[in-house]
Amino acid sequence: MAKKEIYLVRHGRIKSDEEKRYIGQSDLELTEEGILQAQKLYQTLKSNPLDQIYCSNLRRTQKTAEIIGAGRGLVPVVLPELREINMGIWEGERFADIRANYPDEFERRGQDPANFKPFGGECFKDLYDRVIPVFERIINETQKDILFVSHAGVNRVILAHALGLPLRNIFKLKQEYGCLNVISFDGKTLCVEKMNST
C-alpha cells in the first residue's frame, strides 16, 4: 500500500452559552464562527486530493464536512460510529453543576477517563471500542487520502491510538474547534504529522 494522508478535523464552533457544558451527542448547529472555521478548512485542504470524506451523523460534523467537500463532487459518508462520546445523564449539564452535584464522580472521571462513565453514558474505552474498528477498516480499505470530520473525543481516541498513548492521558490531547490533524499511514504504521493546527 502506498503512503497516504489521513486528515482528521474537529467540527467548527457550535451554538452554546458561554459556560462549559457536557455537549456529547447533543445535536447542535454551527455558529457563524463555526461556518467560517469550516470555510478556512476548505481553503487549507482544497488542493489536497481526497478519495472520500467521512463524518458522524450529528449536524455539526455533517455541515463542516459539506463545506470542506464543496466543489469536489464528494458526498460525505455519514457514520453513526463517529458520534461524540455519550455523556448519559450529564448530557447538556454545566461543568459547574456536575462538580457541585456529583463531586466524587466528577473527580473520578478526571482521574480515570478510560473507565469512568456517567450513568447511561460511555467511558473513553467504550468510545475507543466503537471508533477504532471503523477507523481501521476504512484506512485499510481506501487507497488514497481521506478526511474524517469528527468530534474532540473521537479525534482524541484516534490520536491516542496512532500515538500509542494510554487513554488515561486522553485529556492531554487538545482539540480546538475547527482544528486539523494529519496522520500518515503506510499500510502498517500510523504517524501523527500535525496535531490541533488552527
Side-chain angles (χ1 to χ4, degrees):
M1 178 185 290
K3 184 177 177 181
K4 63 186 169 195
E5 302 293 338
I6 301 159
Y7 301 102
L8 179 65
V9 308
R10 185 185 180 192
H11 59 80
R13 185 173 294 278
I14 50 176
K15 294 180 179 177
S16 62
D17 57 32
E18 292 303 308
E19 296 190 78
K20 292 191 74 172
R21 293 180 181 269
Y22 291 99
I23 300 301
Q25 297 185 357
S26 300
D27 201 7
L28 303 179
E29 300 277 3
L30 295 180
T31 60
E32 289 300 315
E33 181 185 357
I35 290 170
L36 290 173
Q37 288 169 328
Q39 291 169 345
K40 181 181 175 184
L41 284 163
Y42 164 77
Q43 291 295 330
T44 299
L45 294 169
K46 68 180 181 180
S47 62
N48 298 64
L50 291 176
D51 197 38
Q52 191 52 265
I53 300 173
Y54 301 89
C55 65
S56 86
N57 60 352
L58 297 176
R59 286 178 289 179
R60 56 193 186 264
T61 60
Q62 291 186 66
K63 181 66 174 177
T64 303
E66 287 165 7
I67 291 170
I68 298 172
R72 291 179 179 269
L74 290 177
V75 177
V77 176
V78 177
L79 298 172
E81 293 91 342
L82 297 179
R83 287 170 73 96
E84 181 59 293
I85 192 168
N86 181 350
M87 293 306 301
I89 62 170
W90 291 12
E91 190 76 37
E93 297 294 328
R94 297 185 310 158
F95 279 34
D97 291 338
I98 295 299
R99 187 185 291 112
N101 297 326
Y102 304 92
D104 293 342
E105 291 90 339
F106 183 86
E107 188 172 334
R108 279 170 47 212
R109 185 170 194 260
Q111 291 173 345
D112 188 16
N115 298 299
F116 175 80
K117 61 181 84 176
F119 183 78
E122 295 176 300
C123 60
F124 275 97
K125 178 68 166 61
D126 295 332
L127 182 64
Y128 184 98
D129 290 344
R130 166 158 62 83
V131 168
I132 296 305
V134 174
F135 174 78
E136 288 281 344
R137 175 179 59 78
I138 290 169
I139 66 171
N140 281 293
E141 288 178 355
T142 52
Q143 299 302 313
K144 299 177 184 174
D145 297 351
I146 51 178
L147 168 67
F148 289 90
V149 181
S150 199
H151 306 270
V154 173
N155 288 4
R156 283 172 172 144
V157 297
I158 291 172
L159 290 165
H161 175 66
L163 293 165
L165 190 71
L167 292 177
R168 67 176 176 273
N169 297 323
I170 198 92
F171 292 129
K172 293 181 179 178
L173 300 172
K174 300 297 183 190
Q175 288 292 282
E176 306 295 339
Y177 288 118
C179 72
L180 170 66
N181 308 277
V182 182
I183 305 170
S184 63
F185 182 56
D186 62 5
K188 293 182 180 179
T189 305
L190 292 163
C191 181
V192 177
E193 309 281 357
K194 182 183 291 188
M195 189 161 57
N196 196 35
S197 175
T198 56

